[in-house]
Amino acid sequence: MALPATMKAVVFDKFGDSSVLRLADDIPVPKIAPNEILVKVHYASLNPLDYKLRLGKLGVVTRWSGFPRIAGRDFSGVVVQAGSKVTEFAVGDAVFGGIQGLGTSGTYAEYVKVPSSIVTRKPPSVSFADAATVGVAGLTAWQALVDVAKVDSSKKVLINGASSGVGTFAVQIAKKTLRCIR
């Protein structure tokens, strides 16, 4: 499949409220590195991190001045290109994930490039829309429980106020994966 030279993307050229967002139709399609995949985005989701980045509310971002910036962190879609060192994914694979780091590339675009190590296959039983909601919230919950708190089945966990995206993922991870909620 021949890729277009440019793509549509929701971008912002300065920090601000939602009025700074615009639809651009002349953004170059990203070029991938040997360890990256290019994904045709089917769905992208909105997180509190997305609007905080757009507002410039995060200190490190406020000092960063690279624009235009493509909005969005989470996505689902289909692999359309795989780098020469990528062995776990092939063109046509349905995947989902979240962008890491604070660069100029986001997921509110027709295509997104990501390291193959930060995406996973979309299960057939999960819709593209649902898969796109997992990235930031699911990873945050996992990091809090597993990487930071070192929770395992020998511990009990109380997740207070679990009504947010992170909270709902934390409950499911603690209950189903770590088996520490009884």
Side-chain angles (χ1 to χ4, degrees):
M1 168 179 112
L3 295 172
T6 60
M7 64 180 179
K8 293 179 183 175
V10 175
V11 302
F12 54 101
D13 299 303
K14 63 182 179 179
F15 295 119
D17 63 19
S18 61
S19 68
V20 302
L21 294 170
R22 67 179 174 87
L23 180 62
D25 61 2
D26 59 350
I27 303 297
V29 171
K31 306 289 185 212
I32 61 171
N35 66 329
E36 293 176 325
I37 59 174
L38 185 66
V39 177
K40 170 80 169 140
V41 176
H42 286 214
Y43 282 87
S45 65
L46 177 67
N47 287 290
L49 177 62
D50 296 319
Y51 74 80
K52 290 175 185 175
L53 288 169
R54 187 198 70 235
L55 288 170
K57 294 288 187 188
L58 303 175
V60 68
V61 176
T62 303
R63 291 188 298 273
W64 183 83
S65 60
F67 293 105
R69 185 180 197 116
I70 300 174
R73 313 300 328 143
D74 294 348
F75 69 93
S76 66
V78 174
V79 176
V80 294
Q81 209 174 55
S84 60
K85 293 185 178 178
V86 174
T87 58
E88 63 274 31
F89 298 105
V91 171
D93 287 346
V95 297
F96 69 97
I99 300 285
Q100 295 179 330
L102 301 173
T104 59
S105 184
T107 61
Y108 298 175
E110 291 182 280
Y111 297 93
V112 63
K113 73 171 186 165
V114 289
S116 62
S117 61
I118 67 165
V119 299
T120 193
R121 277 187 176 72
K122 183 189 78 60
S125 62
V126 176
S127 71
F128 280 103
D130 288 343
T133 67
V134 176
V136 170
L139 180 60
T140 301
W142 182 269
Q143 289 172 328
L145 290 171
V146 177
D147 299 341
V148 176
K150 309 284 189 220
V151 171
D152 62 30
S153 62
S154 70
K155 298 178 182 166
K156 291 184 181 179
V157 174
L158 170 65
I159 300 169
N160 191 14
S163 61
S164 68
V166 174
T168 56
F169 278 111
V171 168
Q172 295 306 309
I173 291 168
K175 185 176 182 179
K176 300 288 187 182
T177 304
L178 303 175
R179 302 198 184 286
C180 57
I181 294 180
R182 294 169 183 86

